[in-house]
Amino acid sequence: WQWRGKSINNYYQNKLRLALIGQSLFGQEVYTNLRKQGHRVVGVFTVPDRDGKADPLAVVAEKDGTPVFKFPRWRVKGKPITEVVEAYKAVGAELNVMPFCSQFIPMNVIDHPAHGSIIYHPSILPLHRGASAINWTLINGDKKAGFSIFWADDGLDTGPILLQRECPVEPNDTVDSLYNRFLFPEGIKAMVESVQLIADGKAPRVPQTEEGASYEGIQKKSNSKVNLAQPAEAIHNWIRGHDKVPGAWAVIDGRTVTLYGSSMLGESVPAGQPLEIEGASQPGVVTKNGLVLYGSDSKALMVKNLQFEDGKMIPAAKYFYSGDTARVELTDDERKIAEEIRGIWKGILSNVAAIEETTDFFKSGAASMDVVRLVEEIKQRCVGLQLQNEDVYMATTFQDFIQTFVRRLRGEDQEEEMVIDYATKDVNNMTVKMPWQCFINGKFEDAENGKTANTINPADGSVICKVAYASVGDVDRAVAAAKEAFEVGPWGRMNPRDRGTLLYKLADLMEEHQEELATIESIDSGAVYTLALKTHVGMSIQTFRYFAGWCDKIQGKTIPINQARPNRNLTFTKKEPLGVCAIIIPWNYPLMMLAWKSAACLAAGNTLVLKPAQVRTHTPAYITTDSVVDFIPAGGMVGQRLSDHPDIRKLGFTGSTPIGKQIMKSCALSNLKKVSLELGGKSPLIIFSDCDMDKAVRMGMSSVFFNKGENCIAAGRLFVEESIHDEYIRRVLEEIKKMKVGDPLDRSTDHGPQNHKAHMDKLVEYCEVGVKEGATLVYGGKQVDRPGFFMEPTLFTDVEDHMFIAKEESFGPIMVVSKFKDGDIDGVLNRANDTEFGLASGVFTRDINKAMYVSEKLDAGTVFVNTYNKTDVASPFGGFKQSGFGKDLGEGFMLDTVILECGSYLMLIFLLVCHK
């Protein structure tokens, strides 16, 4: 029951008059949730506006009409300011709630309310008292983090404990990841819970012990230098504990360099260029992935980013390519070539008197055609040189360009050949090769925890091979790599048409290897080979080609507005990629679902982190060989971490409705990331007596048994008009008996194995429930007596609306048939729509008026008329109600799902400059 937006239970609970003292988004969320619970906030005391911008807590409170006070301070020279204290007392609060407060609050304010004051502190008190608690949790290498809500007293974080919560610290957690994953969302809930405990008279006051107590002050830049003469884990903890403020630093080449983005490395360290670092037990190594540092125990860690004293930040992997670092010394021959290149620059930049070391190619007037000329002239002079137009854009001054040129000339910048540890299998008259590791930042590697899991061939129950079993740490590394690729990598700067060229190339390569892909898909998911070749692989190729064509056709709009005379205004919208996207794909169509969800993401310019289903990973791994796509075979908390991760801007999920709900909740609590969900279904198919019977039987069979029933839009329930019901059942039964159940690689097989054993067992149980409830089992209902996970094609009739099999999705080869009275169109529509799902539906009739009426009334994202299972890459696909929201495929997915529309840009035009 709801009453004015509050539940009846909440309304009748005890409520308090509250004063909120604090600031930030955390304070805003606590304020909002307390009001939702029915408490009355009588005053908000926060910090003054900064640069004309109010604190988030003040913004939401002022919008609600709550009194807001913005005192710059509460006391002067240690004494309370009388006017401030009196203004506070006037609101009449019964409890002070302090979610995050940076000001010193006098004790006569703390103790004034009847219930006193409660404060949130981000550590498990008495550990890490003080203002940098989260930082010190990481610096000290604590295995547990957490927060405390305590009663304020006259000490420093020493008051009695009301409530505490804790969580494990992951090996590569940062201040941000801890805060976003646990301290922020759980802290909000705990503050609300604490207030209610006080209101109900149930709040404890547990005195803090001094045993294990610690106090650490705020870290400053001056004392945050890294001690490199200690074990690697201690160095890692120091760096991540200071990331982002104040930043841990070391001395490199005589300069202070701040280190960001630390993670522990496993046994193998990638090759790279040595770098001397002051105080280190051995030189660091600049690799393609970052800067490797060694501890006194010879173990290694990786640093992702470096910041110089002037504020410039670069990827650590680019240290030797930055203009701020030691430069390559040229040989005599290289100096001669450099002077020739200076002449080429002079020929292009004829308006420049002399080409100095600091001359900037573009600031001197060069355009894109000049870039082509420069590159081609140099390549003509140095045959075989691998120089790209992009090299000019990345090194715009003459001295930087010469450094890049020399490295290209020496072959120092050549990418390492990708190393892939394939699992091989001789099957289907070929040898298939399957990557089995995580693919992160352009290379295949083991899971961080070293764990693997077996994948099973559903046709015989044998092990195909082991696959990496990823962890939360692997997710964080993959997201960091995808974020870097988007923000500073070539993918983020690539022209849209060039992106399209790469996607076309991917489709061509998939087509070239389609038999191998179909074979892997067949042994991995149980799909019949011919279906895998045509649909699983064939439609995946079509999808990448379709969205490749969209890359350079994403357009904004210009908007006519009233002019602010005498000025002239131009308003336009611009569509931009979101950033890092994540997709979680199901086990029934591993490759096709990857293509459906990833092609548009990549075409729009996003980068991608992909999590396949835990039981089916091989075809997604096979085609994932690009550094803008990271591939993480599923481990225990991988999906949850993707939902929670603050750097992911969009998540697409295909799977069950309960998991979809949890994902949506996590995405909202973490960073309000965009979500698209394709969830469960119980798609109705209505067959009228005036149908084409041959087509209705053939398509009705396909609607249920296509892909062994493991099909999201499968007809979960057929409604057959009474006058043709018996004939329809007779003809369907004849066709079922003709179906060949067997080896999915046999080209004559109609029906392959179910995807995995647990699903097989659920289907058998589903049939047992149907029989127990009184439905008539006409055929099947059991597992086939042979090795593997084969289910008999099954037919139920006399299914009544209240039965379990009438309401719940089987996701298997089980036809569920109910009859309806002749001519009762509205009645059967009510029955068909009596479900919480709305993914697909269908109708068979020769009457076009009836078809249009029924299709209009059916509550489903897709309505098939006299056909079924017909999907196309240009047609949007998605559901209603608890079947999810958001669309795959088509123009709508391209423009609305994976692109950020940046509102409008308003430009005041004073002068129009015309160029010849």
Side-chain angles (χ1 to χ4, degrees), residues 539-577:
M539 194 171 187
S540 300
I541 295 168
Q542 292 177 29
T543 303
F544 278 110
R545 285 189 175 139
Y546 174 79
F547 285 110
W550 265 108
C551 288
D552 60 354
K553 300 174 184 66
I554 303 168
Q555 301 175 8
K557 299 176 182 177
T558 56
I559 304 170
I561 63 169
N562 289 342
Q563 305 300 331
R565 293 179 292 180
N567 301 312
R568 302 286 294 174
N569 304 102
L570 171 66
T571 302
F572 64 93
T573 61
K574 181 182 179 185
K575 294 181 181 293
E576 296 181 348

Side-chain angles (χ1 to χ4, degrees), residues 200 253 338 348 508 530 535 579 696:
D200 295 338
D253 287 333
I348 295 171
D508 291 343
T530 50
T535 301

Side-chain angles (χ1 to χ4, degrees), residues 563-779:
Q563 305 300 331
R565 293 179 292 180
N567 301 312
R568 302 286 294 174
N569 304 102
L570 171 66
T571 302
F572 64 93
T573 61
K574 181 182 179 185
K575 294 181 181 293
E576 296 181 348
L578 291 168
V580 180
C581 298
I583 58 174
I584 301 175
I585 58 176
W587 43 257
N588 57 326
Y589 292 107
L591 181 59
M592 193 170 78
M593 290 297 100
L594 177 149
W596 278 28
K597 295 186 180 297
S598 67
C601 286
L602 296 173
N606 300 288
T607 54
L608 189 63
V609 179
L610 161 69
K611 174 199 169 298
Q614 191 163 322
V615 292
R616 299 295 162 232
T617 65
H618 291 300
T619 44
Y622 186 96
I623 71 162
T624 308
T625 54
D626 192 305
S627 59
V628 300
V629 180
D630 291 321
F631 171 81
I632 321 172
M637 293 295 292
V638 165
Q640 184 64 50
R641 181 58 179 147
L642 289 172
S643 304
D644 292 336
H645 204 292
D647 289 332
I648 292 174
R649 297 301 172 193
K650 162 73 191 294
L651 188 143
F653 170 75
T654 296
S656 71
T657 297
I659 298 299
K661 290 179 178 179
Q662 181 59 43
I663 285 175
M664 187 175 175
K665 180 180 178 181
S666 297
C667 289
L669 287 175
S670 56
N671 62 339
L672 279 178
K673 58 175 66 70
K674 295 185 72 172
V675 187
S676 61
L677 303 172
E678 196 244 283
L679 307 175
K682 188 68 175 175
S683 301
L685 173 58
I686 303 173
I687 301 175
F688 288 100
S689 58
D690 61 353
C691 67
D692 179 331
M693 181 64 80
D694 291 340
K695 180 180 284 188
V697 170
R698 185 173 70 255
M699 292 293 184
M701 291 278 292
S702 174
S703 75
V704 175
F705 300 118
F706 187 84
N707 201 48
K708 313 110 59 183
E710 294 168 353
N711 187 26
C712 51
I713 57 173
R717 190 176 181 193
L718 276 68
F719 295 91
V720 181
E721 200 159 12
E722 192 169 31
S723 59
I724 63 167
H725 174 273
D726 292 347
E727 181 189 358
Y728 187 84
I729 295 301
R730 178 184 62 78
R731 293 185 60 173
V732 165
L733 182 60
E734 288 177 357
E735 295 302 315
I736 289 176
K737 290 178 179 179
K738 297 176 185 176
M739 292 175 67
K740 179 179 178 180
V741 179
D743 180 4
L745 294 174
D746 183 338
R747 299 336 187 239
S748 64
T749 295
D750 298 302
H751 189 77
Q754 304 310 132
N755 191 278
H756 52 280
K757 186 178 186 302
H759 183 53
M760 172 76 247
D761 294 341
K762 286 181 181 178
L763 292 176
V764 172
E765 183 181 355
Y766 185 93
C767 293
E768 290 171 352
V769 171
V771 172
K772 189 177 297 184
E773 287 191 329
T776 301
L777 179 61
V778 178
Y779 190 86

